[in-house]
Amino acid sequence: MTDTATAVRAAEPAGAVTAPVVDVVVPVYNEERDLGPCVRRLREFLDRSFPFTARITIADNASTDSTLRVAAHLARELAGVRVVHLDRKGRGRALRQVWLDSDAQVVAYMDVDLSTDLNALLPLVAPLVSGHSDVAIGTRLASSSRVVRGHKREFISRCYNLILRTSLQAKFSDAQCGFKAMRTPVARVVLPLVEDGEWFFDTELLVLAERIGLRIHEVPVDWIDDPDSRVDIVDTARKDLLGIWRVGRALAAGRLPINELRAAVGREPLVEGVPLGMVGQLVRFGIVGVASTLAYLLLYLLLQSFTGAQAANFLALLITAVGNTAANRAFTFGVRGATRAVSHQLQGLAIFGVGLLLTSGSLFALHHWAPNASIHLELMVLIAANLLATLTRFVGLRWVFRQADNRTTAVTR
């Protein structure tokens, strides 16, 4: 924490809450007019209607007006209020510092305009206090949410979340609602990897949380748009799109330590040897398998008349095996980046040898017992042999890429 933050924090009254269950952060930049009414209303709600001990932390990020002076006055006037000052602007930057330094069990934040009905605060943090969920977000896009805002902002919000679902496979419904909470031990593990310090902070945090298997609890909210919002929509949209591109590239290249984070937050497989997302893994493997089989059959048909059945089978199986291993490595098992890529291909070729034995053996048996078999019968036999080879490939590749994950985790530990 900066020297400025420590000095202002010392100005808190002696009766301030020191180790609360919930730390509610209000990030502000040049909010001298709205800060006082917001904090007084929030403090009154917490004292009157909130069952957990709670502190309000005003996170002033480089305000140039009298916001810091107003915040310091509130910290002296109200018990359970403190202020932290940062010399650099950025909501995400402020949240990262305050959340990482907090001694509370749960850290939360809400916008200074209090657009979200405060009655949603307890449903937001209760699953985190109980330990059932890890992250909680307010959503304005649920069918039961009640939202008052202009058509332009509604359209932009829905388009942005659609982009997240299609580009980063995000499943959470509302990335940008200024009403979120997180268990502090989990925040200390995940936040150091969140690079953005501005408005994309929320999205990046949620994408990481989702990828490592954290439970994200969503709360439908009543929300009224602030007509005095100072967010630059065009600039924010540009930075958000750049953030999506950066995070997408990092995930595709394997630069984010997803498996290590899963281990650190206790989201490893419940049963040894059974990977997370087994159903989705089988579906993805099936998609790759269908594409590989079609490519294999097409290559076999093209090559068979020139090279003969056995040579055509060998070449078609070899070419598709290389593509199949690469596709399954990234798409099915989520192993990305250049590390051990050659080794994985060699192990995939060893599994290819088993498939070659099965398919070549089937062709040999067919030609031995029916030397005048038609091309259609050959294809039927090869399809059956490939089904068995596919099962063998799935088991083999699971072992290859599980071993890769285990070695990576062991090295980082």
Side-chain angles (χ1 to χ4, degrees):
M1 189 172 288
T2 65
D3 292 339
T4 305
T6 304
V8 176
R9 193 175 172 187
E12 294 179 39
V17 177
T18 56
V21 174
V22 181
D23 194 350
V24 183
V25 181
V26 181
V28 290
Y29 173 74
N30 289 350
E31 295 287 356
E32 59 183 3
R33 185 183 66 179
D34 295 334
L35 181 58
C38 161
V39 172
R40 288 188 174 88
R41 178 184 165 197
L42 178 58
R43 187 68 263 174
E44 180 184 1
F45 172 83
L46 293 173
D47 293 337
R48 177 174 44 84
S49 305
F50 198 62
F52 304 116
T53 56
R55 175 174 62 214
I56 300 173
T57 298
I58 305 167
D60 172 50
N61 48 120
S63 292
T64 57
D65 62 2
S66 60
T67 295
L68 182 59
R69 186 169 64 253
V70 173
H73 174 74
L74 290 167
R76 290 190 295 269
E77 175 189 347
L78 301 173
V81 175
R82 67 168 182 161
V83 53
V84 174
H85 174 74
L86 285 84
D87 295 327
R88 294 179 63 197
K89 185 181 175 183
R91 183 184 70 171
R93 192 170 291 110
L95 290 174
R96 183 191 297 110
Q97 175 167 324
V98 176
W99 281 6
L100 285 174
D101 290 343
S102 180
D103 57 355
Q105 297 176 33
V106 172
V107 286
Y109 93 87
M110 60 180 61
D111 292 333
V112 69
D113 56 27
L114 296 184
S115 295
T116 304
D117 186 350
L118 291 177
N119 288 319
L121 184 59
L122 180 57
L124 186 81
V125 303
L128 309 185
V129 175
S130 71
H132 178 268
S133 298
D134 304 295
V135 182
I137 65 174
T139 176
R140 299 160 296 182
L141 302 181
S143 59
S144 56
S145 298
R146 296 189 299 173
V147 176
V148 177
R149 63 174 168 178
H151 296 298
K152 179 181 178 181
R153 283 182 173 269
E154 180 78 9
F155 177 77
I156 291 173
S157 180
R158 290 188 179 275
C159 286
Y160 180 67
N161 284 282
L162 178 61
I163 290 171
L164 289 178
R165 286 195 293 273
T166 54
S167 61
L168 297 178
Q169 289 79 54
K171 295 180 177 60
F172 47 84
S173 65
D174 190 350
Q176 296 178 310
C177 181
F179 192 66
K180 294 181 175 68
M182 195 171 192
R183 290 200 299 117
T184 307
V186 174
R188 293 193 179 113
V189 174
V190 180
L191 285 179
L193 290 173
V194 179
E195 294 185 19
D196 191 82
E198 298 183 25
W199 296 100
F200 187 68
F201 171 88
D202 299 56
T203 302
E204 188 170 358
L205 174 62
L206 290 175
V207 169
L208 274 175
E210 198 170 70
R211 289 301 179 105
I212 65 178
L214 296 180
R215 287 196 179 105
I216 300 177
H217 174 68
E218 298 201 3
V219 178
V221 297
D222 296 343
W223 193 87
I224 300 176
D225 191 19
D226 176 19
D228 190 37
S229 175
R230 299 166 193 174
V231 178
D232 186 332
I233 295 178
V234 175
D235 184 60
T236 300
R238 179 184 64 84
K239 291 179 178 177
D240 284 344
L241 293 175
L242 290 174
I244 292 172
W245 173 253
R246 173 177 56 79
V247 172
R249 287 186 62 189
L251 289 169
R255 292 196 298 268
L256 294 173
I258 299 300
N259 293 318
E260 295 89 318
L261 287 173
R262 282 178 176 167
V265 298
R267 286 298 180 268
E268 295 171 302
L270 292 175
V271 180
E272 180 65 27
V274 178
L276 292 167
M278 182 69 173
V279 174
Q281 192 180 75
L282 283 169
V283 170
R284 293 190 295 274
F285 182 83
I287 293 171
V288 173
V290 169
S292 296
T293 300
L294 292 174
Y296 164 77
L297 293 175
L298 179 60
L299 286 171
Y300 179 82
L301 286 173
L302 292 174
L303 296 171
Q304 189 264 352
S305 59
F306 300 103
T307 63
Q310 290 290 0
N313 176 63
F314 174 82
L315 291 172
L317 198 60
L318 176 62
I319 294 169
T320 53
V322 172
N324 184 283
T325 299
N328 276 309
R329 182 178 188 268
F331 181 58
T332 302
F333 298 98
V335 179
R336 298 181 173 89
T339 304
R340 295 186 56 81
V342 175
S343 174
H344 293 159
Q345 278 293 349
L346 292 175
Q347 290 171 309
L349 289 176
I351 300 170
F352 150 78
V354 177
L356 177 64
L357 180 63
L358 288 170
T359 54
S360 296
S362 299
L363 278 177
F364 177 81
L366 174 64
H367 292 152
H368 177 75
W369 294 106
N372 296 320
S374 67
I375 184 66
H376 300 94
L377 184 56
E378 282 184 357
L379 288 175
M380 291 178 62
V381 169
L382 286 173
I383 289 172
N386 258 295
L387 289 175
L388 183 57
T390 297
L391 177 61
T392 304
R393 173 173 288 275
F394 179 68
V395 174
L397 290 180
R398 273 188 58 198
W399 178 84
V400 167
F401 296 121
R402 191 184 73 195
Q403 290 296 101
D405 290 346
N406 291 341
R407 278 191 288 270
T408 301
T409 303
V411 170
T412 56
R413 288 177 181 173

